[in-house]
């Protein structure tokens, strides 16, 4: 579709930003918190810093919220650290942890910023893992329910948008990278049992939110990477569909329909996989009606047919953002292989720079599920350091974010119901595997991985916040309700910018 006007965003559109507790907070043992498995995992990622200090949002959240308010932000999506709320298996609620999130939420609300809260963003308490077996046993379902209940009861008077589990699909697809496969000897089969247990936790949280939060709405947060076929070869189209099923569609279908699709059931049968479904499970899953999809989408992938006799290859991420760790695309014989897309450029981490993928993703999700959507992650991770003038002139990020925001606007014009854009991220903080070397923020935090590793605690570091050029650009976009794209706005890659797009 071609439009002869700028895309229009709803008046109450939630322009915001996003974070996760374990990546931004630091203070991993402060205020009664105990460790989570991802804290331990992050300690194995040298030369990058672990998350013990992160960017010290735990102590500096008031300064961060002030900067958000000055930017004009309307929403902030963050996660709660389970081990801050329930630090041990005795189930006793840590009031200091509750007080921290109460203070953060109050500060946001006082500044007119809508909180959007994720219950689980990769940070499993060590006690859940060691004493219960983590996702590996059904014992977690009740514990997750107890934890969710505390969050919903204590914060639900002010928090109306809830997210269940962040990127469940990615936690399965990248089980080794994200630590989900810990303790499993046969990941090929075990992943489906773990996934089923996650579905039960998700469903329980959905029902609890509806029961406990007056006016509360809740959705899952799939990590979506739209898949394009490499060519018009019909087998490339089937390969794209296969890749889509195995990386995201299986999950989205289950959230919406509360039952597993014929596609995945047939796959389990052929591969002798028992996902551990017990009587009553599908009733629970069916009863949990989600209100919206939270969408994490950064990029696209491209799929090509992989013959049955192709050599299998596991996904190997480019984890350093340089030539030392070149990415290896997965090859799944008889299903698909992912390949480079000649039509898009790539970041130093080999992520596709493809703002149009956001419009594709929103259109795809709307066409399949007809549920409202809020974008909860999207952004550009790059190596950055302060220039001679003590600033960051991140035109590359501005270009990426505004082209993406424009594509969101086009998707809205196309008829999709989208109620917010929460980009990743507000300040710089730790990336999942690359410490602070991979920066996404609108606000620079003046610290390196080396300094974070050397410091004993946060009080030794200035961790100065310095707004980047993208911060001011975003502020103008928000204040103009999505109309001020900047004077040097270039033609978006979908080629649908018209004269009137220049404000
Ligand atoms: C998302 C996760 O998948 O991608 C975040 O929800 C993560 O936790 C983000 O940080 C960006 O990925 P990375 O590896 O560049 O930090």
């Amino acid at each position: 579709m071609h439009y002869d006007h700028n895309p229009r965003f709803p008046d109450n559109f939630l322009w915001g930003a996003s974070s996760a507790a374990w990546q931004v907070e630091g203070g991993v043992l402060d205020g009664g918190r105990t460790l989570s498995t991802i804290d331990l995992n992050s300690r194995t990622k040298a030369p990058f810093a672990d998350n013990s200090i992160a960017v010290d949002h735990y102590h500096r959240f008031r300064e961060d919220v002030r900067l958000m308010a000055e930017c004009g932000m309307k929403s902030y999506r963050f996660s709660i650290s389970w081990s801050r709320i329930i630090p041990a298996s005795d189930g006793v609620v840590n009031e200091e942890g509750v007080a921290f999130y109460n203070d953060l939420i109050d500060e946001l609300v006082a500044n007119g910023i809508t909180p959007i809260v994720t219950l689980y963003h990769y940070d499993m308490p060590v006690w859940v893992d060691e004493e219960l077996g983590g996702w590996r046993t059904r014992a977690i379902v009740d514990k997750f329910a107890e934890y969710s209940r505390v969050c919903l009861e204590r914060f639900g008077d002010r928090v109306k948008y809830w997210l269940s589990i962040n990127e469940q699909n990615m936690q399965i697809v990248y089980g080794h990278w994200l630590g989900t496969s810990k303790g499993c000897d046969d990941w090929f089969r075990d992943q489906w049992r773990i996934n089923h247990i996650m579905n039960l936790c998700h469903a329980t949280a959905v029902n609890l939110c509806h029961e406990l939060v007056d006016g509360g709405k809740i959705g899952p947060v799939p990590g979506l990477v739209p898949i394009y076929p490499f060519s018009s070869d019909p087998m490339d189209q089937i390969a794209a569909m296969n890749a889509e099923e195995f990386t995201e569609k299986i999950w989205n279908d289950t959230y919406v329909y509360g039952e597993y699709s014929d596609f995945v059931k047939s796959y389990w049968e052929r591969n002798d996989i028992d996902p551990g479904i017990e009587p009553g499970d599908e009733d629970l899953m069916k009863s949990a009606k989600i209100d919206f999809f939270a969408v994490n989408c950064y990029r696209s992938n491209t799929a090509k047919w992989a013959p049955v006799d192709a050599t299998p290859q596991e996904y190997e991420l480019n984890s350093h953002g340089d030539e030392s760790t070149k990415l290896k695309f997965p090859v799944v014989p008889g299903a698909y292989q992912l390949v480079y897309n000649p039509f898009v450029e790539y970041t130093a981490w080999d992520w596709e720079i493809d703002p149009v993928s956001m419009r594709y993703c929103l259109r795809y999700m709307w066409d399949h599920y007809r549920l409202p959507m809020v974008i909860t992650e999207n952004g550009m991770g790059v190596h950055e350091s302060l220039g001679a003038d003590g600033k960051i002139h991140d035109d590359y990020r501005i270009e990426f974010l505004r082209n993406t925001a424009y594509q969101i606007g086009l998707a809205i014009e196309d008829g999709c119901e989208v109620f917010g854009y929460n980009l990743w991220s507000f300040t710089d903080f730790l990336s999942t595997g690359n410490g602070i070397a991979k920066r996404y923020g609108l606000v620079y935090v003046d610290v390196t991985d080396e300094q974070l590793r050397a410091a004993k605690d946060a009080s030794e570091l200035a961790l100065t916040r310095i707004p980047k050029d993208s911060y001011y650009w975003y502020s103008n976009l928000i204040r103009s309700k999505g109309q001020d794209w900047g004077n040097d706005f270039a033609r978006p890659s979908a080629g649908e910018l018209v004269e009137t797009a220049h404000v």
Side-chain angles (χ1 to χ4, degrees), residues 191-492:
Q191 60 181 285
W192 297 106
R193 298 181 80 86
I194 285 188
N195 183 57
H196 181 60
I197 290 171
M198 285 181 164
N199 279 331
L200 300 178
C201 289
H202 156 83
T204 308
V206 169
N207 286 343
L208 279 172
C209 176
H210 291 145
E211 179 190 322
L212 300 171
V213 180
D214 189 23
K217 292 187 188 301
I218 185 163
V221 197
L224 300 177
V225 184
I227 315 274
Y228 306 143
F230 179 72
S231 76
S232 52
D233 178 340
M235 289 314 287
D236 285 350
Q237 177 60 51
I238 295 296
M241 290 173 84
N242 289 341
E244 193 176 275
E245 286 280 2
F246 282 120
T247 57
E248 46 207 38
K249 189 165 180 294
I250 286 172
W251 288 267
N252 299 334
D253 285 350
T254 313
Y255 294 135
V256 173
Y257 304 119
E259 62 184 12
Y260 293 103
S261 64
D262 294 333
F263 179 89
V264 71
K265 282 183 178 158
S266 136
Y267 173 76
W268 290 336
E269 206 177 302
R270 271 180 292 116
N271 289 284
D272 193 22
I273 291 168
D274 172 10
I277 303 170
E278 293 186 4
D281 288 356
E282 288 201 328
D283 290 342
L284 168 64
M285 286 158 59
K286 272 204 171 71
S287 68
K289 302 279 180 229
I290 60 173
D291 299 293
F292 59 84
F293 267 108
V295 168
N296 290 355
C297 176
Y298 291 81
R299 60 193 173 112
S300 53
N301 272 155
T302 300
K304 208 173 168 182
W305 177 246
V308 190
D309 57 359
T311 310
Q313 168 70 50
E314 279 216 19
Y315 218 144
E316 278 180 30
L317 297 166
N318 175 341
S319 57
H320 282 59
D322 59 33
E323 296 297 318
S324 69
T325 55
K326 235 19 204 167
L327 153 128
K328 282 195 187 139
F329 279 120
V331 180
V332 186
Y336 68 92
Q337 57 185 305
L338 298 184
V339 294
Y340 280 102
N341 181 345
F343 294 97
V344 304
E345 291 185 359
Y346 286 79
T347 68
W349 273 266
D350 291 313
W351 285 31
E352 290 77 0
I353 302 174
D354 178 15
V356 177
S357 67
M358 179 62 87
R359 183 183 188 183
Y360 177 100
C361 174
L362 296 169
R363 290 266 299 261
Y364 176 99
M365 293 297 284
W366 182 251
D367 288 348
H368 281 77
Y369 307 113
R370 285 294 153 96
L371 281 167
M373 291 168 281
V374 57
I375 292 132
T376 40
E377 286 186 39
N378 164 264
M380 180 180 251
V382 298
H383 294 287
E384 274 171 335
S385 50
L386 288 178
D389 60 356
K391 296 195 171 133
I392 300 279
H393 302 294
D394 54 344
D395 345 344
Y396 38 89
R397 182 173 289 103
I398 294 175
E399 188 183 336
F400 177 80
L401 295 176
R402 72 178 162 191
N403 283 343
T404 305
Y406 201 88
Q407 295 297 324
I408 296 167
L410 292 176
I412 293 172
E413 294 288 344
D414 292 335
C416 302
E417 192 177 333
V418 185
F419 61 92
Y421 177 44
N422 294 276
L423 54 80
W424 189 266
S425 54
F426 185 64
T427 62
D428 289 336
F429 49 67
L430 304 198
S431 122
T432 294
N434 308 147
I436 202 155
K438 190 179 186 188
R439 294 173 185 266
Y440 283 88
L442 301 178
V443 176
Y444 187 80
V445 179
D446 193 11
V447 73
T448 62
D449 283 317
E450 225 170 21
Q451 291 163 339
L452 283 169
R453 276 203 319 272
K456 276 204 273 320
D457 59 53
S459 64
E460 288 183 12
L461 298 166
L463 294 161
T464 311
R465 273 69 168 146
I466 303 167
K468 304 178 192 178
D469 287 359
S470 55
Y471 171 95
Y472 299 103
W473 166 79
Y474 195 46
S475 181
N476 285 340
L477 185 67
I478 297 173
R479 290 179 201 288
S480 69
K481 299 197 168 171
Q483 291 305 304
D484 183 356
W485 297 93
N487 291 331
D488 56 342
F489 184 34
R491 196 174 172 81

Side-chain angles (χ1 to χ4, degrees), residues 134-177:
W135 296 116
R136 300 182 296 284
T137 73
R138 294 170 75 101
I140 195 175
V141 181
D142 285 347
K143 294 295 167 189
F144 190 75
E146 280 168 27
Y147 157 66
S148 302
R149 178 178 284 276
V150 175
C151 296
L152 297 161
E153 282 179 346
R154 300 295 194 95
F155 311 127
D157 56 334
R158 289 148 295 155
V159 177
K160 300 301 175 187
Y161 291 112
W162 290 90
L163 315 176
S164 55
I165 297 178
N166 185 69
E167 297 195 357
Q168 182 181 332
N169 59 325
M170 293 298 179
Q171 292 185 65
I172 301 299
V173 177
Y174 294 117
H176 300 313
W177 173 248

